[in-house]
Amino acid sequence: MTPTVLIVGSGPTGATYARRLLEQLPRVSVLMVEAGPVVSTPPGMNVKNITDPGEQAVARLASQGRAGESGVSGIPGGVVVEGTITARQGTHLVGRAADGSPGMPAAALATCVGGQGAHWTCATPRPMGSERIGFLDEAEWEQHVGAAEELLHVTTTAFGDSPQATAILDAVRAELAPDGITVRPLPVAADPREDGSLRWSGTDVVLAPVLEDPRFTLRSETLAVRLVRDGDRVTGAVLRDLRTGAEEQVRADAVVVAADAIRTPQLLWASGVRPAALGRYLTEHPLLFGVVALREGAVPPREDTVTPVDPIRAVVSVPFDEERHPFHAQLMFTPVCPVPLPDDSPYRDNPAGYVGMGWGVRKWPRPEDRLTFEDEHPDENGLPGVRIAYEVTEREEAEFHRAREVQARVAGALGAFVEGMPKVMPPGSSLHYMGTVRMGPVDDGTSVCDTESRVWGVPGLVLAGNGLIPTANSCNPTLTSVSLAIRGAAALAADLQPALVAGKE
Ligand SMILES: Cc1cc2nc3c(=O)[nH]c(=O)nc-3n(C[C@H](O)[C@H](O)[C@H](O)COP(=O)(O)OP(=O)(O)OC[C@H]3O[C@@H](n4cnc5c(N)ncnc54)[C@H](O)[C@@H]3O)c2cc1C
């Protein structure tokens, strides 16, 4: 019999499983279900590539879920800052604060084919030093990260020819290099176009090659409501067509849940899979964000015309360094201000342009930072309602203090902060939620998965996504999660191989 794999969620990590399984197993059938609709062509394409602003807005709106229906979640309002932080169109808020906790007011997800990968900024720095998952073999890890970079079309030379990029890089380097702090172009997942702009990678770059494969089926607007079990083993799932409400049970030899760091544990909870660490150790990247109006002459004048839908023209990274710079900083140059300015602001229409700069700091995993699920207060889909207990502690505050000093120096080297900047963004703003289904080397109650992403004690169930990441880190998580998916897919292919061989007999 041909083995069947059900993948829940069509973001970059679910897509990686589909791609790798289909590449590695000649006989396999893969069904991918996605709660949201197709919002771009090809499916999963980064909506930043849609040049018509109206069409882009429609695609973003269509990714914002069915939140309004119940008021459980909603579309983030306020400032739209493309490039570094939330609150973003294309996402919808999720989770209410647990009693007595500030929660994560800006926690937001995307519900569409491609997941958040249809909306992401594409920053793909590698995890460094202690950011790396220490219990995974380093040589193997390097291979997986390299493969992930290939899969996502990562480039380290984005905007390399742009004189503005060089000027910003040089200015930041001159400020920080004397302290031994590295400054370099930000690795991003994108393909350069001839006109110097970038085609940003979406989930499409991973998914496109399998879309026409007869062994692969993608069902959009289809919600996995519950995993089905036979004893401990997961044997399939109940799926709901969100257009008709019809439910059906599908059988699978393995189920990969790649439904983001919040809805993956939600689905496990709803299915009665409730290991002690489920939903706990929630982390993100507490974020210090600022916009600097560049001083005159800081960058050479541009010759190109601004593309209003994608104004980014240079990207710079100040990577993590345990001793000297235990943060990840991301700087993006744009000729148009990424935040609204007061009418009387001296920084309006700044001729030299602006740099948006985010310093992400580490959040140390604590079991009490956690999601809880309430069967009695379901969400808009009838799945258990999500509550979030989360606090920034003195440890993270101390990191902010240090980050603020570095950021102020960099800002001073380039120009001046616009009004109200810099500011610590509300928890959840990073959109990088981690730890809720964390990976661990042993089943000691502090992890949900083994090192191959298999849920401890639940055969047939594999997880994917940022929720697996167990470390305190500050680098953007997608490269790590896709690397883990590459690793997990190889293990799953090996697990399925005996079934495949048996099927051939
Ligand atoms: C605006 C923005 C900017 C970002 N910038 C960066 C960046 O620069 N660098 C970086 O590394 N990361 C960035 N991220 C985060 C990045 O997009 C995510 O890390 C990545 O998409 C995670 O991939 P995933 O496959 O695990 O989950 P997702 O992409 O979140 O996909 C999960 C999918 O599962 C679906 N789903 C959930 N529950 C169910 C269910 N029960 N049944 C069926 N389907 C379900 C969801 O609808 C969703 O489409 C950004 C995100 C956003 C929104």
Side-chain angles (χ1 to χ4, degrees):
M1 246 177 38
T2 301
T4 302
V5 178
L6 170 66
I7 300 176
V8 180
S10 68
T13 63
T16 299
Y17 268 90
R19 171 94 173 256
R20 300 297 277 203
L21 289 173
L22 288 160
E23 280 172 357
Q24 287 167 25
L25 297 175
R27 287 185 53 207
V28 67
S29 163
V30 176
L31 169 62
M32 173 182 276
V33 294
E34 166 55 53
V38 174
V39 301
S40 49
T41 310
M45 183 184 77
N46 197 322
V47 305
K48 291 202 290 178
N49 298 323
I50 302 176
T51 48
D52 180 84
E55 283 176 26
Q56 193 185 74
V58 168
R60 287 187 160 144
L61 192 64
S63 310
Q64 292 176 179
R66 308 163 72 221
E69 289 175 23
S70 71
V72 174
S73 45
I75 299 161
V79 172
V80 174
V81 184
E82 188 54 71
T84 332
I85 56 157
T86 195
R88 313 290 182 82
Q89 293 160 352
T91 65
H92 52 90
L93 295 176
V94 64
R96 287 178 296 181
D99 291 342
S101 167
M104 262 193 182
L109 306 170
T111 301
C112 60
V113 169
Q116 290 197 355
H119 301 277
W120 70 319
T121 308
C122 300
T124 41
R126 284 186 173 209
M128 313 278 284
S130 63
E131 294 190 303
R132 240 182 34 77
I133 303 173
F135 50 81
L136 298 182
D137 178 79
E138 195 165 346
E140 266 181 47
W141 176 252
E142 289 302 312
Q143 272 181 14
H144 294 144
V145 178
E149 286 172 336
E150 221 170 283
L151 211 52
L152 293 169
H153 297 201
V154 171
T155 170
T156 51
T157 55
F159 305 113
D161 298 337
S162 139
Q164 292 79 29
T166 309
I168 293 171
L169 200 63
D170 289 349
V172 180
R173 222 172 239 161
E175 180 61 38
L176 299 182
D179 294 357
I181 298 175
T182 303
V183 179
R184 63 181 184 204
L186 177 70
V188 290
D191 292 305
R193 291 194 182 105
E194 276 189 9
D195 67 358
S197 67
L198 297 179
R199 182 189 189 275
W200 300 101
S201 296
T203 305
D204 61 333
V205 299
V206 184
L207 207 51
V210 305
L211 282 175
E212 299 302 320
D213 191 319
R215 299 170 299 160
F216 178 72
T217 308
L218 168 64
R219 278 199 225 165
S220 60
E221 296 181 72
T222 302
L223 183 79
V225 181
R226 199 177 67 248
L227 303 172
V228 174
R229 296 169 77 186
D230 180 1
D232 288 334
R233 175 170 282 278
V234 165
T235 55
V238 174
L239 306 180
R240 182 188 304 152
D241 184 326
L242 291 172
R243 286 159 291 209
T244 63
E247 291 192 359
E248 67 168 313
Q249 189 167 318
V250 298
R251 194 204 67 78
D253 295 285
V255 178
V256 179
V257 184
D260 67 56
I262 294 179
R263 289 178 286 187
T264 293
Q266 179 194 42
L267 183 59
L268 266 59
W269 178 270
S271 312
V273 180
R274 300 177 180 181
L278 190 75
R280 292 185 182 270
Y281 304 99
L282 169 65
T283 63
E284 67 148 343
H285 297 140
L287 200 60
L288 180 66
F289 180 72
V291 174
V292 165
L294 292 174
R295 80 169 54 87
E296 205 184 330
V299 294
R302 288 169 317 103
E303 284 167 11
D304 61 335
T305 51
V306 174
T307 314
V309 285
D310 178 22
I312 304 296
R313 284 294 173 271
V315 285
V316 170
S317 159
V318 189
F320 178 90
D321 176 307
E322 192 83 50
E323 296 296 315
R324 301 178 182 91
H325 189 261
F327 329 104
H328 171 75
Q330 181 171 313
L331 285 72
M332 294 201 165
F333 167 66
T334 149
V336 292
C337 188
V339 293
L341 293 173
D343 286 345
D344 59 352
S345 168
Y347 303 115
R348 281 182 85 90
D349 305 320
N350 188 44
Y354 305 85
V355 168
M357 43 174 74
W359 256 255
V361 310
R362 288 175 286 188
K363 169 79 175 98
W364 274 268
R366 307 185 309 159
E368 60 267 45
D369 292 317
R370 64 178 300 203
L371 308 174
T372 49
F373 302 101
E374 298 184 332
D375 297 315
E376 62 285 13
H377 296 294
D379 71 5
E380 59 271 28
N381 290 315
L383 288 170
V386 178
R387 288 268 190 145
I388 305 179
Y390 177 86
E391 264 174 77
V392 171
T393 70
E394 282 176 9
R395 202 168 180 187
E396 289 85 36
E397 293 292 357
E399 298 266 300
F400 267 141
H401 185 72
R402 266 184 83 184
R404 206 180 268 277
E405 287 174 2
V406 184
Q407 190 192 47
R409 284 173 53 195
V410 172
L414 294 171
F417 280 120
V418 303
E419 290 88 345
M421 296 284 174
K423 60 181 171 189
V424 171
M425 299 304 293
S429 298
S430 71
L431 300 162
H432 305 157
Y433 317 122
M434 296 167 286
T436 53
V437 288
R438 71 208 299 245
M439 176 181 273
V442 284
D443 184 11
D444 60 359
T446 67
S447 58
V448 170
C449 294
D450 68 13
T451 56
E452 319 281 4
S453 307
R454 297 175 287 225
V455 175
W456 295 113
V458 187
L461 182 56
V462 174
L463 306 185
N466 301 337
L468 292 163
I469 300 173
T471 56
N473 64 75
S474 67
C475 75
N476 315 54
T478 309
L479 186 67
T480 295
S481 295
V482 168
S483 306
L484 293 178
I486 288 171
R487 179 184 170 83
L492 178 56
D495 286 349
L496 292 169
Q497 198 71 39
L500 183 75
V501 172
K504 279 181 174 167
E505 280 168 358

